[in-house]
mmCIF file of all heavy atoms in Angstrom:
data_model
loop_
_atom_site.group_PDB
_atom_site.id
_atom_site.type_symbol
_atom_site.label_atom_id
_atom_site.label_comp_id
_atom_site.label_asym_id
_atom_site.label_seq_id
_atom_site.Cartn_x
_atom_site.Cartn_y
_atom_site.Cartn_z
ATOM 1 N N GLU A 46 7.091 -7.324 -0.947
ATOM 2 C CA GLU A 46 7.713 -6.326 -0.087
ATOM 3 C C GLU A 46 6.708 -5.203 0.194
ATOM 4 O O GLU A 46 5.877 -4.854 -0.619
ATOM 5 C CB GLU A 46 8.957 -5.715 -0.755
ATOM 6 C CG GLU A 46 8.678 -5.025 -2.059
ATOM 7 C CD GLU A 46 9.895 -4.291 -2.610
ATOM 8 O OE1 GLU A 46 10.899 -4.133 -1.900
ATOM 9 O OE2 GLU A 46 9.830 -3.848 -3.796
ATOM 10 N N ILE A 47 6.839 -4.611 1.373
ATOM 11 C CA ILE A 47 6.005 -3.472 1.731
ATOM 12 C C ILE A 47 6.710 -2.217 1.225
ATOM 13 O O ILE A 47 7.919 -2.069 1.369
ATOM 14 C CB ILE A 47 5.731 -3.400 3.236
ATOM 15 C CG1 ILE A 47 4.797 -2.241 3.543
ATOM 16 C CG2 ILE A 47 6.999 -3.320 4.041
ATOM 17 C CD1 ILE A 47 4.244 -2.242 4.972
ATOM 18 N N VAL A 48 5.980 -1.319 0.577
ATOM 19 C CA VAL A 48 6.583 -0.115 0.053
ATOM 20 C C VAL A 48 6.118 1.164 0.805
ATOM 21 O O VAL A 48 6.813 2.161 0.772
ATOM 22 C CB VAL A 48 6.329 0.056 -1.454
ATOM 23 C CG1 VAL A 48 6.980 -1.071 -2.235
ATOM 24 C CG2 VAL A 48 4.859 0.147 -1.761
ATOM 25 N N ALA A 49 4.974 1.092 1.466
ATOM 26 C CA ALA A 49 4.486 2.257 2.189
ATOM 27 C C ALA A 49 3.538 1.827 3.301
ATOM 28 O O ALA A 49 2.822 0.831 3.157
ATOM 29 C CB ALA A 49 3.778 3.234 1.249
ATOM 30 N N GLY A 50 3.558 2.565 4.402
ATOM 31 C CA GLY A 50 2.661 2.239 5.508
ATOM 32 C C GLY A 50 2.090 3.511 6.109
ATOM 33 O O GLY A 50 2.591 4.625 5.881
ATOM 34 N N ILE A 51 0.994 3.329 6.865
ATOM 35 C CA ILE A 51 0.350 4.424 7.553
ATOM 36 C C ILE A 51 -0.349 3.876 8.758
ATOM 37 O O ILE A 51 -0.837 2.748 8.743
ATOM 38 C CB ILE A 51 -0.609 5.186 6.611
ATOM 39 C CG1 ILE A 51 -1.112 6.486 7.253
ATOM 40 C CG2 ILE A 51 -1.762 4.299 6.185
ATOM 41 C CD1 ILE A 51 -1.849 7.403 6.264
ATOM 42 N N ASP A 52 -0.377 4.651 9.859
ATOM 43 C CA ASP A 52 -1.074 4.195 11.044
ATOM 44 C C ASP A 52 -1.891 5.332 11.664
ATOM 45 O O ASP A 52 -1.875 6.466 11.132
ATOM 46 C CB ASP A 52 -0.135 3.527 12.058
ATOM 47 C CG ASP A 52 0.829 4.514 12.706
ATOM 48 O OD1 ASP A 52 0.723 5.736 12.485
ATOM 49 O OD2 ASP A 52 1.742 4.029 13.433
ATOM 50 N N SER A 53 -2.545 5.063 12.757
ATOM 51 C CA SER A 53 -3.440 6.056 13.372
ATOM 52 C C SER A 53 -2.685 7.243 13.933
ATOM 53 O O SER A 53 -3.296 8.325 14.136
ATOM 54 C CB SER A 53 -4.288 5.410 14.451
ATOM 55 O OG SER A 53 -3.443 4.829 15.445
ATOM 56 N N ALA A 54 -1.397 7.088 14.148
ATOM 57 C CA ALA A 54 -0.592 8.198 14.660
ATOM 58 C C ALA A 54 -0.139 9.117 13.544
ATOM 59 O O ALA A 54 0.491 10.155 13.809
ATOM 60 C CB ALA A 54 0.631 7.677 15.441
ATOM 61 N N GLY A 55 -0.416 8.728 12.333
ATOM 62 C CA GLY A 55 -0.046 9.568 11.168
ATOM 63 C C GLY A 55 1.319 9.268 10.608
ATOM 64 O O GLY A 55 1.793 9.982 9.716
ATOM 65 N N SER A 56 1.976 8.226 11.122
ATOM 66 C CA SER A 56 3.276 7.856 10.592
ATOM 67 C C SER A 56 3.131 7.312 9.170
ATOM 68 O O SER A 56 2.230 6.510 8.911
ATOM 69 C CB SER A 56 3.899 6.801 11.494
ATOM 70 O OG SER A 56 5.161 6.401 11.024
ATOM 71 N N THR A 57 4.004 7.733 8.264
ATOM 72 C CA THR A 57 3.943 7.295 6.865
ATOM 73 C C THR A 57 5.338 6.976 6.347
ATOM 74 O O THR A 57 5.899 7.718 5.554
ATOM 75 C CB THR A 57 3.274 8.355 5.961
ATOM 76 O OG1 THR A 57 3.993 9.596 6.123
ATOM 77 C CG2 THR A 57 1.819 8.565 6.302
ATOM 78 N N PRO A 58 5.887 5.860 6.773
ATOM 79 C CA PRO A 58 7.203 5.461 6.291
ATOM 80 C C PRO A 58 7.149 4.856 4.909
ATOM 81 O O PRO A 58 6.090 4.352 4.470
ATOM 82 C CB PRO A 58 7.649 4.419 7.321
ATOM 83 C CG PRO A 58 6.352 3.815 7.781
ATOM 84 C CD PRO A 58 5.349 4.933 7.772
ATOM 85 N N TYR A 59 8.282 4.874 4.195
ATOM 86 C CA TYR A 59 8.356 4.340 2.859
ATOM 87 C C TYR A 59 9.627 3.519 2.694
ATOM 88 O O TYR A 59 10.623 3.733 3.362
ATOM 89 C CB TYR A 59 8.399 5.481 1.824
ATOM 90 C CG TYR A 59 7.181 6.355 1.852
ATOM 91 C CD1 TYR A 59 7.094 7.484 2.652
ATOM 92 C CD2 TYR A 59 6.080 6.042 1.040
ATOM 93 C CE1 TYR A 59 5.965 8.282 2.664
ATOM 94 C CE2 TYR A 59 4.934 6.847 1.036
ATOM 95 C CZ TYR A 59 4.895 7.953 1.863
ATOM 96 O OH TYR A 59 3.766 8.731 1.881
ATOM 97 N N ALA A 60 9.569 2.572 1.776
ATOM 98 C CA ALA A 60 10.795 1.847 1.405
ATOM 99 C C ALA A 60 11.718 2.811 0.670
ATOM 100 O O ALA A 60 11.251 3.732 -0.012
ATOM 101 C CB ALA A 60 10.423 0.669 0.500
ATOM 102 N N ASP A 61 13.009 2.604 0.821
ATOM 103 C CA ASP A 61 13.958 3.487 0.186
ATOM 104 C C ASP A 61 13.772 3.587 -1.332
ATOM 105 O O ASP A 61 14.000 4.632 -1.945
ATOM 106 C CB ASP A 61 15.402 3.043 0.474
ATOM 107 C CG ASP A 61 15.793 3.282 1.917
ATOM 108 O OD1 ASP A 61 15.140 4.112 2.605
ATOM 109 O OD2 ASP A 61 16.760 2.652 2.398
ATOM 110 N N SER A 62 13.322 2.501 -1.929
ATOM 111 C CA SER A 62 13.198 2.428 -3.387
ATOM 112 C C SER A 62 12.079 3.350 -3.919
ATOM 113 O O SER A 62 12.059 3.658 -5.109
ATOM 114 C CB SER A 62 12.907 0.997 -3.820
ATOM 115 O OG SER A 62 11.733 0.494 -3.193
#
Side-chain angles (χ1 to χ4, degrees):
E46 61 173 348
I47 183 170
V48 296
I51 189 168
D52 67 8
S53 58
S56 181
T57 55
Y59 299 90
D61 288 343
S62 59

